[in-house]
Amino acid sequence: MAVRALYTGSFDPITNGHLDIITRASRMYDELVVGVIVNPAKNPMFTKEERVEMITEVTSFLPNVKVDCFQGLLADYVNRNHFQAVVRGLRSAGDFDYEIQMAHMNARLFDPGIESVFLMADPAYTFLSSSMVKEVVSLHGNAEGLVPESVLERMKERV
Ligand code: COA
């Protein structure tokens, strides 16, 4: 049976840190779905369609990666789609504190056998977040190497 995993987040926009986790996770599973979450509380720079489009574009070299988007409870989406694992990246001890709480809560909500799996972020990207890149680009700073080239172009157009 094919082992399928989900890597989820807002991806507003996808960064090279996310892409590193996606690339590594794609080698661990038969299929990796990148799930763009629609959080009504956030005011994103890109629509969910634009975020899906950008991720599809920059992961096109990974044949077992698919992109989807969803709203609502993560565990509902995971159970409904029969994923065996949910991958998360850890950049720092701060991420760990947040993730451990979320993993324990999700463990109660996931169907039996579904695991949260953590990959350490590449040290080159441990300082990175989508918001920080948005701030740098909006203030006309140099964000080269932090997001894929095509994403950077779209960000510059947007600001
Ligand atoms: N490289 C670069 N940046 C990274 C990164 C990496 N490897 N890993 C995380 N980040 C950044 C993201 O860009 C994001 O930056 P931003 O806050 O500036 O946008 C930040 O770290 C947080 O990312 P993430 O942890 O993915 O948060 P999120 O808000 O994008 O998504 C969910 C969090 C989707 C997992 C969580 O909110 C969720 O499950 N929501 C659904 C509702 C639910 O089920 N709630 C109950 C949970 S128990």
Side-chain angles (χ1 to χ4, degrees):
M1 190 178 68
V3 184
R4 300 173 63 245
L6 173 74
Y7 177 53
T8 188
S10 301
F11 304 112
D12 184 47
I14 182 167
T15 69
N16 284 340
H18 295 131
L19 193 53
D20 166 62
I21 300 284
I22 294 169
T23 306
R24 286 159 56 205
S26 73
R27 296 188 202 118
M28 297 165 56
Y29 298 100
D30 297 308
E31 183 182 301
L32 181 76
V33 174
V34 181
V36 175
I37 186 140
V38 181
N39 183 348
K42 280 195 176 177
N43 183 21
M45 174 181 258
F46 295 103
T47 65
K48 62 179 191 299
E49 289 82 8
E50 289 172 321
R51 285 180 270 161
V52 166
E53 203 176 285
M54 284 187 278
I55 299 169
T56 305
E57 201 175 295
V58 303
T59 59
S60 61
F61 70 103
L62 299 168
N64 63 335
V65 171
K66 295 196 167 71
V67 191
D68 191 14
C69 69
F70 70 100
Q71 202 161 353
L73 196 65
L74 172 73
D76 283 346
Y77 177 75
V78 169
N79 294 339
R80 201 167 56 240
N81 289 283
H82 308 292
F83 290 106
Q84 283 99 325
V86 175
V87 175
R88 300 284 297 161
L90 291 179
R91 293 165 300 173
S92 64
D95 276 359
F96 179 78
D97 285 343
Y98 171 64
E99 294 293 338
I100 197 166
Q101 277 184 291
M102 203 160 69
H104 286 316
M105 179 59 82
N106 280 330
R108 293 172 54 93
L109 302 170
F110 285 163
D111 286 343
I114 301 173
E115 295 288 346
S116 293
V117 174
F118 299 94
L119 295 184
M120 300 309 295
D122 184 319
Y125 303 122
T126 48
F127 64 95
L128 200 54
S129 73
S130 301
S131 304
M132 206 173 272
V133 183
K134 281 185 279 193
E135 190 171 328
V136 170
V137 174
S138 68
L139 297 170
H140 309 291
N142 181 1
E144 269 169 40
L146 304 181
V147 294
E149 200 60 46
S150 57
V151 173
L152 186 55
E153 286 313 310
R154 283 200 195 218
M155 293 180 80
K156 285 180 182 169
E157 282 165 22
R158 190 56 50 100
V159 302

